[in-house]
């Protein structure tokens, strides 16, 4: 008796054979594309390294489900089956479980597409939403945490001893330090120039920090806000009134700054883009963000074609350093600027010296874009009107530079930049200027390039 004598049995056997063939082909195709497995393993390793949890594993550690592997040797040899859903949770969800304190809210920020800029340029403009870091609401959360942890490892800071963290800052780093200092059992003492927005110093006061607003002075002066913070820390330690110590965080020169971005911000960008990044654009104040991310993209992730572009406000010398190898142009030398540091309304980026953090990645920066105050103001307003994104001056500079960089790349390219902090910290300065320029009332061009006076080169 044959199967042909029993059509129903023949049909059942055919279905079974087809199903088995489908399973085998699927397993075979998996091994035909090993880069998918390696890319997944890279993501999983990154998530485990940085402690990101999954819905099924809030602690972020390995579980039986996430490490279980089945082996099959049919046709194409051993095949590894993984729980990819759990790994995706670990990568893209910051904390589906419980995190430990406010520092657990740092990192894992979203990478969002800015639709209006993508549509205008014909390239995909992506922005790392660092203003959504959960401690001080800026990329400086990562830096402050890393500097504090490094100081604790060296015994320079001991919780509960009465230690104080001193820092010279234009605002964001001080805010992050103030938040984390309280959370970890320290005090914070912040020195800042008196031309920064009042919102920042007011917030620092409310966070329990001691704030010294000092007149703007050149870096060579002992009264420069950074030098003052260094001196205050030394005075604290030398007072010998108790066992407490003063720790000068030194964000401009402390290598923990760029290392924070090389260890976390860069890997997050690569994971969120699957490594498809054509350009990274960021400004430099301390230089830690652009240097750290550049080092990860080029040295660690080894993305050979990625371009790193510096976004620099008017009055800063870094544009000329990258483009021409010198810090100053004729219009930016001493005696010609209204301010001693950077002649710009922009806060947080732009400087006229090369810091150790910037130097750590300077050789990896391919180009620089100069952004005027007028362009920054117009971009900040454009983002509100077209995308509902309300950010500060450094973010606006980054976005202008991202548009310029995009036009030097082929259509369809991906450009990643940074949204640093919310516009709520810039109401009395940037957003006041925007109001004075009439940008919130007068009709404005719908064409981005006309608005910013940028040439469409490609």
């Amino acid at each position: 008796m044959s199967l042909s004598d029993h059509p129903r049995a023949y049909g059942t056997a055919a279905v079974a054979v087809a199903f088995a063939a489908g399973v085998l082909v699927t397993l075979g195709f998996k091994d035909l594309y090993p880069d998918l497995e390696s890319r997944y393993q890279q993501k999983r390793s990154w998530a485990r390294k940085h402690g990101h949890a999954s819905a099924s594993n809030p602690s972020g550690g390995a579980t039986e489900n996430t490490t279980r592997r089945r082996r099959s040797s049919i046709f194409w040899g051993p095949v590894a089956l993984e729980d990819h859903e759990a790994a995706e949770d670990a990568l893209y969800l910051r904390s589906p479980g419980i995190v430990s304190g406010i520092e657990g809210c740092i990192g894992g920020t979203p990478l969002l597409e800015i639709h209006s800029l993508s549509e205008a340029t014909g390239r995909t403009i992506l922005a790392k939403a660092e203003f959504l870091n959960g401690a001080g609401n800026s990329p400086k959360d990562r830096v402050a945490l890393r500097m504090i942890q490094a100081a604790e490892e060296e015994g320079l800071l001991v919780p509960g001893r009465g230690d104080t963290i001193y820092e010279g800052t234009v605002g964001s780093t001080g805010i992050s330090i103030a938040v984390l200092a309280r959370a970890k059992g320290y005090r914070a003492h912040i020195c800042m120039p008196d031309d920064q927005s009042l919102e920042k110093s007011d917030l620092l006061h409310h966070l329990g920090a001691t704030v010294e607003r000092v007149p703007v002075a050149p870096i060579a002066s002992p009264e420069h806000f950074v030098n003052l913070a260094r001196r205050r820390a030394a005075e604290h330690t030398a007072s010998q009134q108790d066992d407490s110590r003063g720790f000068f965080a030194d964000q401009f020169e402390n290598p923990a700054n760029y290392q924070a971005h090389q260890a976390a911000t860069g890997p997050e960008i690569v994971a969120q883009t699957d490594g498809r990044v054509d350009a990274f654009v960021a400004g430099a104040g301390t230089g830690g963000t652009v240097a750290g991310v550049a080092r990860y993209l080029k040295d660690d992730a080894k993305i050979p074609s990625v371009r790193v572009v510096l976004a620099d406000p008017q009055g800063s010398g870094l544009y000329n350093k990258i483009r021409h190898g010198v810090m100053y142009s004729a219009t930016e030398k001493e005696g010609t600027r209204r301010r001693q540091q950077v002649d710009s309304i922009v806060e947080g980026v732009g400087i006229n010296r090369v810091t150790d953090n910037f130097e750590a990645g300077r050789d990896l920066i391919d180009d620089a874009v100069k952004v005027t105050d007028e362009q920054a103001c117009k971009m900040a307003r454009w983002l509100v009107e077209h995308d509902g994104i309300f950010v500060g001056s450094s973010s606006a500079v980054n976005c202008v530079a991202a548009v310029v960089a995009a036009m030097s790349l082929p259509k369809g390219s991906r450009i990643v930049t940074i949204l640093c902090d919310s516009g709520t910290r810039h109401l009395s300065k940037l957003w006041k200027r925007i109001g004075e320029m009439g940008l919130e009332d007068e009709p404005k061009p719908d064409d981005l390039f006309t608005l910013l006076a940028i040439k469409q080169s490609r």
Side-chain angles (χ1 to χ4, degrees), residues 157-454:
L157 286 172
V158 177
R161 189 173 62 183
D163 293 350
T164 298
I165 303 171
Y166 292 82
E167 183 60 297
T169 170
V170 295
S172 291
T173 304
I175 292 167
S176 298
I177 285 175
V179 172
L180 292 169
R182 286 295 180 181
K184 296 175 73 66
Y186 307 113
R187 299 186 180 93
H189 186 119
I190 306 301
C191 300
M192 63 189 304
D194 61 6
D195 62 348
Q196 301 301 294
S197 61
L198 292 173
E199 297 94 281
K200 293 180 180 180
S201 55
D202 288 345
L203 179 56
L204 284 165
H205 279 298
H206 291 307
L207 290 172
T210 299
V211 181
E212 283 190 73
R213 290 180 66 101
V214 299
V216 175
I219 186 62
S221 169
E223 301 308 314
H224 185 274
F225 63 98
V226 172
N227 296 330
L228 180 62
R230 180 187 290 106
R231 188 166 71 250
R232 292 282 188 258
E235 291 169 351
H236 179 139
T237 302
S239 66
Q240 298 182 348
Q241 294 180 357
D242 52 31
D243 293 332
S244 69
R245 300 184 62 175
F247 168 69
F248 175 49
D250 198 13
Q251 60 167 325
F252 289 89
E253 315 301 335
N254 191 331
N257 184 339
Y258 82 81
Q259 290 168 359
H261 295 292
Q262 184 176 6
T265 314
E268 287 176 21
I269 290 171
V270 169
Q272 289 167 319
T273 61
D274 285 330
R276 291 178 52 216
V277 184
D278 297 299
F280 175 71
V281 180
T286 64
T289 302
V290 68
V293 174
R295 288 187 66 152
Y296 184 80
L297 294 178
K298 293 194 172 188
D299 291 347
D300 300 332
K302 300 188 184 305
I303 304 176
S305 61
V306 67
R307 288 180 60 79
V308 176
V309 179
L310 175 74
D312 210 34
Q314 65 183 53
S316 172
L318 296 180
Y319 169 87
N320 290 315
K321 189 67 175 177
I322 296 300
R323 279 290 189 95
H324 309 298
V326 295
M327 182 58 72
Y328 297 105
S329 70
T331 59
E332 293 169 350
K333 61 186 178 181
E334 292 288 348
T336 64
R337 301 189 309 277
R338 293 192 302 273
R339 289 178 49 194
Q340 292 291 342
Q341 185 190 18
V342 176
D343 180 12
S344 172
I345 194 174
V346 175
E347 298 178 347
V349 294
I351 195 171
N352 278 318
R353 70 181 192 277
V354 175
T355 67
D356 285 351
N357 277 287
F358 185 76
E359 190 64 29
R362 181 164 65 93
D363 61 326
L364 302 176
I365 299 175
D366 300 290
D367 201 1
V369 175
K370 176 73 72 178
V371 179
T372 67
D373 281 358
E374 183 177 2
Q375 288 175 317
C377 289
K378 289 180 176 179
M379 175 58 81
R381 187 60 199 162
W382 172 279
L383 292 173
V384 169
E385 290 186 348
H386 293 83
D387 302 277
I389 297 173
F390 184 57
V391 290
S393 54
S394 55
S395 301
V397 167
N398 286 345
C399 289
V400 173
V403 169
V404 174
M407 300 313 295
S408 68
L409 296 170
K411 287 188 176 181
S413 297
R414 273 186 173 183
I415 296 87
V416 176
T417 191
I418 302 288
L419 298 180
C420 305
D421 60 2
S422 167
T424 56
R425 293 184 184 173
H426 300 262
L427 296 177
S428 65
K429 196 170 181 182
L430 173 75
W431 284 94
K432 181 181 178 182
R433 174 73 66 86
I434 289 172
E436 292 171 348
M437 293 172 64
L439 295 176
E440 296 175 311
D441 304 313
E442 297 177 1
K444 291 158 286 298
D446 288 331
D447 178 71
L448 178 66
F449 297 94
T450 300
L451 180 70
L452 300 178
I454 296 174

